[in-house]
Amino acid sequence: MRRLSSSVCSPSSHRLNPVTSMATGSNSLIWFRKGLRVHDNPALEHASKASSGSMYPVFVIDPRYMEPDPSAFSPGSSRAGVNRIRFLLESLKDLDSGLKKLGSRLLVLRGEPGEVLVRCLREWKVKRLCFEYDTDPYYQALDFKVKEYASSVGVEVFSPVSHTLFNPTDIIQKNGGKAPLSYQSFLKIAGEPSCAESELVMSYSSLPPVGDVGSIGVSEVPKLEELGYREDEQDEWTPFRGGESEALKRLNNSISDKAWVANFEKPKGDPSAFLKPATTVLSPYLKDVKKHTSPPVSLLGQLLWREFFYTTAFGTRNFDKMKGNPICKQIPWKEDHDMLAAWRDGKTGYPWIDAIMVQLLKWGWMHHLTRHSVACFLTRGDLFIHWEQGRDVFERLLIDSDWAINNGNWMWLSCSSFFYQALPTPYVSIVSLLMLHILRRCFSGGGFQYNRIYSPVSFGKKYDPEGKYIRHFLPVLKDMPKQYIYEPWTAPLSVQTKAKCIVGKDYPKPMVMHDAASKECKRKMGEAYALNKKMNGNIGDDDLKDLRRKLETDEESNIRNQRPKLN
DNA sequence: CCAGAGTTGTGCCT
DNA sequence: AGGCACAACTCTGG
């Protein structure tokens, strides 16, 4: 197998590579977090080289993510819906059986990961600590503490970059200390994504034995119930199973379907095709399993977008907030908990939007264009609610939720950040004419402008005029005739009665009228953009408050002026 | 200053 | 299905 690689992701560029002592007989610890895989795992490979010692494979169940929260809006913890937790447990189970086949096993511990790790290092006399480098702020802070302790007691730390193909630190350094703000400039700086020959570590004949665990409490991978969740908490579960084996199966299926690969064009996938999804549905697994074959350019392009978001996220202060985020437009979003809850719970009265939100709730996954649709609706398109609040809902419910990509996309979709583009000449020079043709088609078209708003009615209708997708996720509308299914409030009462779905009783009335709401949103975005320009990005809380007040006053008077005169 | 470009808009025409 | 008008932003490059 050939491996996607580049000059900056070869093993020599792994950050923190202090291979100091190769003392035999010393114990090593491999700390699993995101990369829950046996193959293509440099941290595991390094840990296993402790030839005559023991290797402790560890996963720490972090209460911050896993503690059940009965007050959350759906089953799960405060930060993760139950689908995500289940997906993680399935991935751990698969990892455990992969390790067991090689004479090892996964040791599952619970508690604050930093404290747990320190206890393990001490108790098991670990000389070498290995874990995948992670750019998320939570892990940056956690890993800093762990590394500090390790170096104070002389434990060797090996923390390779293997979650991304490129090393974000290298790219930011090459760009003069700042993250590139456009995809094209990212490509320019990152260099050629070459498909270098480099053998994968696909199989070990065996792994070092697990040593005595002493007084440390370790367990097998727990069941959902053992973490305090109930199997019957949800009536429909995600059809996607977690784990490296499943991911490799999907990868092989996708790649071996030649016709599918040849025709792959990301923007053209049918977002309403839910029985056979139009994308690879690899993203939840890509969190854990990196791609290693040489993909077609269109797929490669998708992977590079991931790299781009990771780099930008790592190089930007307060990337997950509007305030204090240098690349984020300051916009006076509306504070409205009821509207947010209606959107979140699939009760907006727009079947297309609601079906998508129900799919998210039940499956923890939906097509990326449908993500665009609901994100646009919540923010700049209709409700004018803060992207951070939508981001939180996605982060909790998506089984493929990813800190960098989720925040980046929400800023993008809400038109809070522009990632300006340049000509792709340096990149184009390295690809064949055929690839160039595909690239041109993939990369043509406009970027996000706040006047380009997804319609909650026509966007879905274009792909699914029968409304099959809506009927599946919103059974209450399953007998609504197709000419009304995207706008059931327009159906005559007799039709609603016959379909056993009275709008306002069985299914909600639309919470806003899209034409008026989107027009209002455009106006607000225009004013907010103008203020951002005028202030050159230096907008304080007071400026934002003033603008919010002005926008609301204008909105009221607009509504008043639209009212028919009484005399 | 203007023209051109930007990963994935809508509506209407043929 | 493909072309075009619509409305319209902000940057780059000349």
Side-chain angles (χ1 to χ4, degrees), chain A residues 303-355:
Chain A
L303 293 185
L304 290 170
W305 270 98
R306 177 176 178 275
E307 300 290 313
F308 167 56
F309 273 128
Y310 263 90
T311 305
T312 308
F314 186 52
T316 305
R317 272 177 286 124
N318 300 310
F319 189 73
D320 57 352
K321 294 176 195 71
M322 179 179 81
K323 282 184 189 164
N325 178 343
I327 68 164
C328 186
K329 287 260 188 299
Q330 303 299 303
I331 293 166
W333 303 108
K334 195 156 52 184
E335 207 41 70
D336 192 321
H337 184 265
D338 291 345
M339 280 186 143
L340 174 67
W343 174 82
R344 182 193 68 198
D345 299 336
K347 294 188 164 70
T348 66
Y350 283 93
W352 170 249
I353 299 295
D354 293 343

Short mmCIF file of all heavy atoms in Angstrom, two decimals, chain A residues 303-355:
data_model
loop_
_atom_site.label_atom_id
_atom_site.label_comp_id
_atom_site.label_asym_id
_atom_site.label_seq_id
_atom_site.Cartn_x
_atom_site.Cartn_y
_atom_site.Cartn_z
N LEU A 303 -9.53 15.79 1.70
CA LEU A 303 -8.60 15.58 2.82
C LEU A 303 -7.79 16.84 3.09
O LEU A 303 -7.49 17.16 4.24
CB LEU A 303 -7.65 14.41 2.53
CG LEU A 303 -8.30 13.04 2.46
CD1 LEU A 303 -7.24 11.97 2.29
CD2 LEU A 303 -9.11 12.75 3.72
N LEU A 304 -7.45 17.56 2.01
CA LEU A 304 -6.65 18.77 2.20
C LEU A 304 -7.47 19.86 2.87
O LEU A 304 -6.92 20.70 3.59
CB LEU A 304 -6.07 19.22 0.87
CG LEU A 304 -4.99 18.28 0.35
CD1 LEU A 304 -4.61 18.61 -1.08
CD2 LEU A 304 -3.76 18.31 1.24
N TRP A 305 -8.77 19.88 2.63
CA TRP A 305 -9.60 20.83 3.35
C TRP A 305 -9.53 20.59 4.84
O TRP A 305 -9.49 21.53 5.64
CB TRP A 305 -11.07 20.73 2.90
CG TRP A 305 -11.33 21.63 1.76
CD1 TRP A 305 -11.36 21.30 0.44
CD2 TRP A 305 -11.54 23.05 1.83
NE1 TRP A 305 -11.57 22.42 -0.32
CE2 TRP A 305 -11.68 23.50 0.51
CE3 TRP A 305 -11.60 23.97 2.87
CZ2 TRP A 305 -11.90 24.84 0.20
CZ3 TRP A 305 -11.81 25.30 2.57
CH2 TRP A 305 -11.96 25.72 1.24
N ARG A 306 -9.49 19.34 5.21
CA ARG A 306 -9.35 18.99 6.62
C ARG A 306 -8.02 19.53 7.17
O ARG A 306 -7.97 20.12 8.24
CB ARG A 306 -9.43 17.46 6.74
CG ARG A 306 -9.24 16.92 8.13
CD ARG A 306 -9.46 15.40 8.09
NE ARG A 306 -9.25 14.80 9.39
CZ ARG A 306 -8.07 14.42 9.86
NH1 ARG A 306 -6.99 14.61 9.13
NH2 ARG A 306 -7.96 13.86 11.05
N GLU A 307 -6.97 19.34 6.39
CA GLU A 307 -5.66 19.83 6.81
C GLU A 307 -5.67 21.35 6.98
O GLU A 307 -5.13 21.90 7.93
CB GLU A 307 -4.59 19.46 5.77
CG GLU A 307 -4.44 17.98 5.52
CD GLU A 307 -3.80 17.25 6.70
OE1 GLU A 307 -2.79 17.74 7.22
OE2 GLU A 307 -4.34 16.20 7.10
N PHE A 308 -6.33 21.99 6.02
CA PHE A 308 -6.41 23.45 6.04
C PHE A 308 -7.13 23.94 7.31
O PHE A 308 -6.64 24.84 8.01
CB PHE A 308 -7.14 23.92 4.78
CG PHE A 308 -7.58 25.36 4.81
CD1 PHE A 308 -6.66 26.38 5.03
CD2 PHE A 308 -8.91 25.69 4.61
CE1 PHE A 308 -7.07 27.71 5.05
CE2 PHE A 308 -9.32 27.01 4.64
CZ PHE A 308 -8.40 28.02 4.87
N PHE A 309 -8.26 23.34 7.62
CA PHE A 309 -9.00 23.76 8.81
C PHE A 309 -8.18 23.52 10.09
O PHE A 309 -8.18 24.35 11.00
CB PHE A 309 -10.33 23.03 8.92
CG PHE A 309 -11.45 23.71 8.18
CD1 PHE A 309 -12.23 23.03 7.26
CD2 PHE A 309 -11.72 25.06 8.41
CE1 PHE A 309 -13.27 23.66 6.58
CE2 PHE A 309 -12.75 25.70 7.73
CZ PHE A 309 -13.52 25.00 6.82
N TYR A 310 -7.50 22.40 10.13
CA TYR A 310 -6.67 22.12 11.31
C TYR A 310 -5.60 23.18 11.50
O TYR A 310 -5.34 23.63 12.60
CB TYR A 310 -6.03 20.72 11.20
CG TYR A 310 -6.83 19.68 11.95
CD1 TYR A 310 -7.85 18.98 11.33
CD2 TYR A 310 -6.59 19.45 13.30
CE1 TYR A 310 -8.60 18.04 12.03
CE2 TYR A 310 -7.34 18.52 14.01
CZ TYR A 310 -8.34 17.82 13.36
OH TYR A 310 -9.08 16.92 14.05
N THR A 311 -4.98 23.56 10.39
CA THR A 311 -3.90 24.54 10.48
C THR A 311 -4.43 25.90 10.91
O THR A 311 -3.87 26.54 11.80
CB THR A 311 -3.19 24.66 9.11
OG1 THR A 311 -2.76 23.37 8.72
CG2 THR A 311 -2.01 25.60 9.19
N THR A 312 -5.53 26.32 10.28
CA THR A 312 -6.10 27.62 10.63
C THR A 312 -6.57 27.64 12.09
O THR A 312 -6.38 28.61 12.80
CB THR A 312 -7.30 27.92 9.69
OG1 THR A 312 -6.85 27.77 8.35
CG2 THR A 312 -7.80 29.33 9.91
N ALA A 313 -7.19 26.53 12.48
CA ALA A 313 -7.70 26.46 13.86
C ALA A 313 -6.56 26.54 14.86
O ALA A 313 -6.66 27.22 15.89
CB ALA A 313 -8.48 25.16 14.05
N PHE A 314 -5.47 25.85 14.55
CA PHE A 314 -4.33 25.82 15.47
C PHE A 314 -3.65 27.18 15.54
O PHE A 314 -3.17 27.59 16.60
CB PHE A 314 -3.34 24.75 15.02
CG PHE A 314 -2.20 24.54 15.97
CD1 PHE A 314 -2.45 24.30 17.31
CD2 PHE A 314 -0.89 24.59 15.53
CE1 PHE A 314 -1.41 24.09 18.21
CE2 PHE A 314 0.16 24.39 16.41
CZ PHE A 314 -0.10 24.14 17.75
N GLY A 315 -3.66 27.90 14.43
CA GLY A 315 -2.93 29.17 14.39
C GLY A 315 -3.78 30.39 14.70
O GLY A 315 -3.30 31.52 14.54
N THR A 316 -5.02 30.22 15.13
CA THR A 316 -5.89 31.36 15.38
C THR A 316 -6.33 31.42 16.84
O THR A 316 -6.87 30.44 17.36
CB THR A 316 -7.14 31.28 14.47
OG1 THR A 316 -6.71 31.16 13.11
CG2 THR A 316 -8.01 32.52 14.61
N ARG A 317 -6.11 32.57 17.45
CA ARG A 317 -6.57 32.77 18.83
C ARG A 317 -8.09 32.67 18.91
O ARG A 317 -8.79 33.14 18.01
CB ARG A 317 -6.19 34.18 19.31
CG ARG A 317 -4.82 34.30 19.94
CD ARG A 317 -4.53 35.74 20.30
NE ARG A 317 -4.25 36.55 19.11
CZ ARG A 317 -4.91 37.65 18.78
NH1 ARG A 317 -5.91 38.09 19.54
NH2 ARG A 317 -4.59 38.31 17.70
N ASN A 318 -8.60 32.09 19.96
CA ASN A 318 -10.05 32.02 20.21
C ASN A 318 -10.83 31.57 18.98
O ASN A 318 -11.87 32.12 18.65
CB ASN A 318 -10.57 33.40 20.66
CG ASN A 318 -9.89 33.85 21.93
OD1 ASN A 318 -9.82 33.10 22.91
ND2 ASN A 318 -9.38 35.08 21.93
N PHE A 319 -10.31 30.54 18.33
CA PHE A 319 -10.93 30.04 17.10
C PHE A 319 -12.38 29.61 17.30
O PHE A 319 -13.18 29.65 16.38
CB PHE A 319 -10.10 28.87 16.55
CG PHE A 319 -10.50 28.41 15.18
CD1 PHE A 319 -10.18 29.19 14.06
CD2 PHE A 319 -11.17 27.22 14.98
CE1 PHE A 319 -10.53 28.78 12.78
CE2 PHE A 319 -11.53 26.80 13.70
CZ PHE A 319 -11.21 27.58 12.60
N ASP A 320 -12.71 29.19 18.52
CA ASP A 320 -14.07 28.69 18.77
C ASP A 320 -14.98 29.75 19.36
O ASP A 320 -16.03 29.44 19.92
CB ASP A 320 -14.03 27.46 19.69
CG ASP A 320 -13.34 27.74 21.01
OD1 ASP A 320 -12.75 28.83 21.17
OD2 ASP A 320 -13.38 26.86 21.89
N LYS A 321 -14.59 31.03 19.23
CA LYS A 321 -15.43 32.11 19.74
C LYS A 321 -15.51 33.23 18.70
O LYS A 321 -14.66 33.33 17.84
CB LYS A 321 -14.83 32.70 21.02
CG LYS A 321 -14.81 31.77 22.19
CD LYS A 321 -14.09 32.43 23.36
CE LYS A 321 -13.73 31.40 24.41
NZ LYS A 321 -12.64 30.50 23.97
N MET A 322 -16.53 34.05 18.83
CA MET A 322 -16.58 35.24 17.99
C MET A 322 -15.69 36.34 18.58
O MET A 322 -14.87 36.94 17.88
CB MET A 322 -18.02 35.76 17.88
CG MET A 322 -18.15 37.03 17.04
SD MET A 322 -19.84 37.63 16.87
CE MET A 322 -20.06 38.51 18.41
N LYS A 323 -15.84 36.54 19.89
CA LYS A 323 -15.07 37.61 20.54
C LYS A 323 -13.61 37.23 20.67
O LYS A 323 -13.27 36.11 21.03
CB LYS A 323 -15.66 37.88 21.93
CG LYS A 323 -16.92 38.71 21.84
CD LYS A 323 -17.46 39.08 23.19
CE LYS A 323 -18.83 39.72 22.99
NZ LYS A 323 -19.61 39.78 24.21
N GLY A 324 -12.77 38.19 20.38
CA GLY A 324 -11.33 37.97 20.51
C GLY A 324 -10.76 37.06 19.45
O GLY A 324 -9.64 36.60 19.56
N ASN A 325 -11.56 36.77 18.42
CA ASN A 325 -11.10 35.91 17.33
C ASN A 325 -10.77 36.80 16.12
O ASN A 325 -11.67 37.38 15.52
CB ASN A 325 -12.20 34.90 17.00
CG ASN A 325 -11.84 34.00 15.83
OD1 ASN A 325 -10.94 34.28 15.06
ND2 ASN A 325 -12.57 32.91 15.73
N PRO A 326 -9.50 36.93 15.79
CA PRO A 326 -9.09 37.90 14.78
C PRO A 326 -9.64 37.62 13.38
O PRO A 326 -9.67 38.53 12.55
CB PRO A 326 -7.56 37.83 14.78
CG PRO A 326 -7.24 36.52 15.43
CD PRO A 326 -8.35 36.24 16.40
N ILE A 327 -10.06 36.39 13.09
CA ILE A 327 -10.57 36.13 11.74
C ILE A 327 -12.10 36.12 11.69
O ILE A 327 -12.68 35.84 10.66
CB ILE A 327 -10.03 34.81 11.15
CG1 ILE A 327 -10.57 33.59 11.90
CG2 ILE A 327 -8.51 34.80 11.13
CD1 ILE A 327 -10.39 32.28 11.14
N CYS A 328 -12.73 36.43 12.82
CA CYS A 328 -14.19 36.30 12.87
C CYS A 328 -14.87 37.67 12.85
O CYS A 328 -14.54 38.55 13.63
CB CYS A 328 -14.59 35.55 14.14
SG CYS A 328 -16.35 35.18 14.22
N LYS A 329 -15.81 37.81 11.91
CA LYS A 329 -16.60 39.05 11.85
C LYS A 329 -17.43 39.18 13.13
O LYS A 329 -17.98 38.20 13.61
CB LYS A 329 -17.54 39.00 10.65
CG LYS A 329 -16.86 39.16 9.32
CD LYS A 329 -17.00 40.58 8.81
CE LYS A 329 -16.49 40.73 7.39
NZ LYS A 329 -15.08 40.43 7.18
N GLN A 330 -17.50 40.40 13.65
CA GLN A 330 -18.30 40.64 14.86
C GLN A 330 -19.72 41.00 14.43
O GLN A 330 -19.95 42.02 13.78
CB GLN A 330 -17.67 41.77 15.68
CG GLN A 330 -16.22 41.50 16.07
CD GLN A 330 -16.04 40.27 16.94
OE1 GLN A 330 -16.64 40.16 18.01
NE2 GLN A 330 -15.24 39.32 16.47
N ILE A 331 -20.64 40.12 14.76
CA ILE A 331 -22.01 40.28 14.30
C ILE A 331 -22.96 40.22 15.50
O ILE A 331 -22.81 39.36 16.37
CB ILE A 331 -22.34 39.17 13.26
CG1 ILE A 331 -21.50 39.40 11.99
CG2 ILE A 331 -23.82 39.15 12.90
CD1 ILE A 331 -21.45 38.25 11.04
N PRO A 332 -23.92 41.15 15.56
CA PRO A 332 -24.80 41.19 16.74
C PRO A 332 -25.92 40.16 16.66
O PRO A 332 -27.08 40.49 16.49
CB PRO A 332 -25.36 42.62 16.70
CG PRO A 332 -25.36 42.98 15.26
CD PRO A 332 -24.21 42.26 14.63
N TRP A 333 -25.53 38.90 16.79
CA TRP A 333 -26.52 37.81 16.72
C TRP A 333 -27.58 37.97 17.79
O TRP A 333 -27.34 38.56 18.84
CB TRP A 333 -25.83 36.45 16.87
CG TRP A 333 -24.75 36.19 15.86
CD1 TRP A 333 -23.40 36.18 16.10
CD2 TRP A 333 -24.92 35.92 14.46
NE1 TRP A 333 -22.72 35.91 14.93
CE2 TRP A 333 -23.62 35.75 13.92
CE3 TRP A 333 -26.02 35.79 13.62
CZ2 TRP A 333 -23.41 35.45 12.57
CZ3 TRP A 333 -25.81 35.50 12.29
CH2 TRP A 333 -24.51 35.33 11.77
N LYS A 334 -28.73 37.37 17.48
CA LYS A 334 -29.87 37.48 18.40
C LYS A 334 -29.78 36.41 19.48
O LYS A 334 -29.33 35.31 19.25
CB LYS A 334 -31.16 37.30 17.58
CG LYS A 334 -32.40 37.72 18.29
CD LYS A 334 -33.53 38.08 17.33
CE LYS A 334 -33.84 37.02 16.29
NZ LYS A 334 -34.85 37.44 15.34
N GLU A 335 -30.23 36.77 20.68
CA GLU A 335 -30.29 35.84 21.80
C GLU A 335 -31.73 35.37 21.91
O GLU A 335 -32.62 36.16 22.20
CB GLU A 335 -29.88 36.64 23.06
CG GLU A 335 -29.24 35.91 24.23
CD GLU A 335 -28.22 34.85 23.89
OE1 GLU A 335 -27.12 35.21 23.43
OE2 GLU A 335 -28.53 33.67 24.11
N ASP A 336 -32.01 34.12 21.58
CA ASP A 336 -33.40 33.66 21.65
C ASP A 336 -33.43 32.15 21.89
O ASP A 336 -33.31 31.34 20.98
CB ASP A 336 -34.14 33.98 20.34
CG ASP A 336 -35.65 33.80 20.47
OD1 ASP A 336 -36.08 32.82 21.12
OD2 ASP A 336 -36.40 34.62 19.90
N HIS A 337 -33.59 31.81 23.17
CA HIS A 337 -33.49 30.41 23.55
C HIS A 337 -34.60 29.56 22.94
O HIS A 337 -34.36 28.41 22.54
CB HIS A 337 -33.49 30.24 25.06
CG HIS A 337 -33.30 28.81 25.47
ND1 HIS A 337 -34.36 27.98 25.75
CD2 HIS A 337 -32.17 28.05 25.58
CE1 HIS A 337 -33.88 26.77 26.03
NE2 HIS A 337 -32.58 26.79 25.93
N ASP A 338 -35.81 30.09 22.86
CA ASP A 338 -36.93 29.31 22.32
C ASP A 338 -36.72 28.98 20.84
O ASP A 338 -36.99 27.87 20.40
CB ASP A 338 -38.25 30.08 22.48
CG ASP A 338 -38.65 30.17 23.95
OD1 ASP A 338 -38.08 29.41 24.77
OD2 ASP A 338 -39.51 31.01 24.28
N MET A 339 -36.23 29.97 20.10
CA MET A 339 -35.97 29.72 18.68
C MET A 339 -34.85 28.70 18.51
O MET A 339 -34.94 27.80 17.66
CB MET A 339 -35.58 31.02 17.99
CG MET A 339 -36.78 31.89 17.66
SD MET A 339 -36.22 33.30 16.70
CE MET A 339 -37.58 33.49 15.57
N LEU A 340 -33.81 28.85 19.32
CA LEU A 340 -32.71 27.89 19.27
C LEU A 340 -33.22 26.48 19.55
O LEU A 340 -32.88 25.52 18.85
CB LEU A 340 -31.64 28.28 20.30
CG LEU A 340 -30.49 27.29 20.45
CD1 LEU A 340 -29.63 27.24 19.19
CD2 LEU A 340 -29.63 27.63 21.67
N ALA A 341 -34.08 26.35 20.58
CA ALA A 341 -34.59 25.04 20.96
C ALA A 341 -35.46 24.44 19.86
O ALA A 341 -35.41 23.25 19.59
CB ALA A 341 -35.37 25.13 22.27
N ALA A 342 -36.25 25.29 19.20
CA ALA A 342 -37.10 24.80 18.10
C ALA A 342 -36.24 24.27 16.96
O ALA A 342 -36.52 23.21 16.39
CB ALA A 342 -38.01 25.92 17.60
N TRP A 343 -35.18 24.98 16.66
CA TRP A 343 -34.25 24.53 15.60
C TRP A 343 -33.60 23.21 16.01
O TRP A 343 -33.59 22.24 15.26
CB TRP A 343 -33.19 25.62 15.39
CG TRP A 343 -32.09 25.23 14.44
CD1 TRP A 343 -32.11 25.27 13.09
CD2 TRP A 343 -30.78 24.75 14.82
NE1 TRP A 343 -30.90 24.85 12.58
CE2 TRP A 343 -30.07 24.53 13.62
CE3 TRP A 343 -30.14 24.50 16.04
CZ2 TRP A 343 -28.75 24.06 13.61
CZ3 TRP A 343 -28.84 24.03 16.03
CH2 TRP A 343 -28.15 23.82 14.82
N ARG A 344 -33.09 23.19 17.23
CA ARG A 344 -32.36 22.03 17.74
C ARG A 344 -33.25 20.78 17.77
O ARG A 344 -32.81 19.68 17.45
CB ARG A 344 -31.89 22.37 19.16
CG ARG A 344 -31.08 21.32 19.84
CD ARG A 344 -30.96 21.66 21.30
NE ARG A 344 -32.26 21.54 21.96
CZ ARG A 344 -32.57 22.09 23.13
NH1 ARG A 344 -31.69 22.84 23.77
NH2 ARG A 344 -33.75 21.91 23.67
N ASP A 345 -34.52 20.96 18.15
CA ASP A 345 -35.42 19.82 18.33
C ASP A 345 -36.20 19.45 17.06
O ASP A 345 -37.07 18.58 17.11
CB ASP A 345 -36.41 20.11 19.47
CG ASP A 345 -35.68 20.34 20.79
OD1 ASP A 345 -34.55 19.85 20.93
OD2 ASP A 345 -36.24 21.01 21.67
N GLY A 346 -35.92 20.14 15.96
CA GLY A 346 -36.62 19.81 14.72
C GLY A 346 -38.08 20.24 14.76
O GLY A 346 -38.97 19.51 14.35
N LYS A 347 -38.32 21.46 15.25
CA LYS A 347 -39.70 21.96 15.34
C LYS A 347 -39.81 23.36 14.74
O LYS A 347 -40.51 24.21 15.28
CB LYS A 347 -40.15 21.98 16.81
CG LYS A 347 -40.25 20.59 17.42
CD LYS A 347 -40.88 20.66 18.80
CE LYS A 347 -41.37 19.32 19.29
NZ LYS A 347 -40.34 18.36 19.64
N THR A 348 -39.12 23.58 13.63
CA THR A 348 -39.16 24.92 13.03
C THR A 348 -40.41 25.11 12.18
O THR A 348 -40.78 26.22 11.84
CB THR A 348 -37.95 25.16 12.11
OG1 THR A 348 -38.05 24.27 10.99
CG2 THR A 348 -36.64 24.92 12.84
N GLY A 349 -41.04 24.01 11.78
CA GLY A 349 -42.18 24.09 10.88
C GLY A 349 -41.77 23.99 9.42
O GLY A 349 -42.63 23.99 8.54
N TYR A 350 -40.47 23.93 9.16
CA TYR A 350 -39.97 23.66 7.81
C TYR A 350 -39.53 22.20 7.76
O TYR A 350 -38.50 21.85 8.34
CB TYR A 350 -38.80 24.59 7.46
CG TYR A 350 -39.24 25.99 7.10
CD1 TYR A 350 -39.30 26.99 8.07
CD2 TYR A 350 -39.64 26.29 5.80
CE1 TYR A 350 -39.74 28.26 7.75
CE2 TYR A 350 -40.07 27.56 5.47
CZ TYR A 350 -40.12 28.55 6.46
OH TYR A 350 -40.55 29.81 6.13
N PRO A 351 -40.30 21.35 7.08
CA PRO A 351 -40.00 19.91 7.11
C PRO A 351 -38.57 19.57 6.69
O PRO A 351 -37.95 18.68 7.28
CB PRO A 351 -41.02 19.32 6.13
CG PRO A 351 -42.16 20.28 6.18
CD PRO A 351 -41.54 21.64 6.35
N TRP A 352 -38.05 20.25 5.69
CA TRP A 352 -36.68 19.97 5.25
C TRP A 352 -35.70 20.19 6.40
O TRP A 352 -34.85 19.34 6.70
CB TRP A 352 -36.33 20.83 4.04
CG TRP A 352 -34.89 20.82 3.62
CD1 TRP A 352 -34.00 21.84 3.70
CD2 TRP A 352 -34.18 19.73 3.01
NE1 TRP A 352 -32.78 21.46 3.19
CE2 TRP A 352 -32.87 20.17 2.76
CE3 TRP A 352 -34.52 18.42 2.67
CZ2 TRP A 352 -31.89 19.36 2.18
CZ3 TRP A 352 -33.54 17.60 2.08
CH2 TRP A 352 -32.25 18.08 1.84
N ILE A 353 -35.81 21.32 7.07
CA ILE A 353 -34.92 21.64 8.20
C ILE A 353 -35.15 20.65 9.35
O ILE A 353 -34.19 20.12 9.92
CB ILE A 353 -35.19 23.09 8.69
CG1 ILE A 353 -34.93 24.11 7.57
CG2 ILE A 353 -34.37 23.42 9.94
CD1 ILE A 353 -33.51 24.20 7.10
N ASP A 354 -36.40 20.40 9.66
CA ASP A 354 -36.71 19.53 10.80
C ASP A 354 -36.25 18.09 10.57
O ASP A 354 -35.74 17.44 11.49
CB ASP A 354 -38.21 19.58 11.10
CG ASP A 354 -38.64 20.96 11.58
OD1 ASP A 354 -37.75 21.74 12.00
OD2 ASP A 354 -39.84 21.27 11.55
N ALA A 355 -36.43 17.60 9.34
CA ALA A 355 -36.00 16.23 9.04
C ALA A 355 -34.48 16.10 9.23
O ALA A 355 -34.00 15.11 9.78
CB ALA A 355 -36.38 15.85 7.61
#
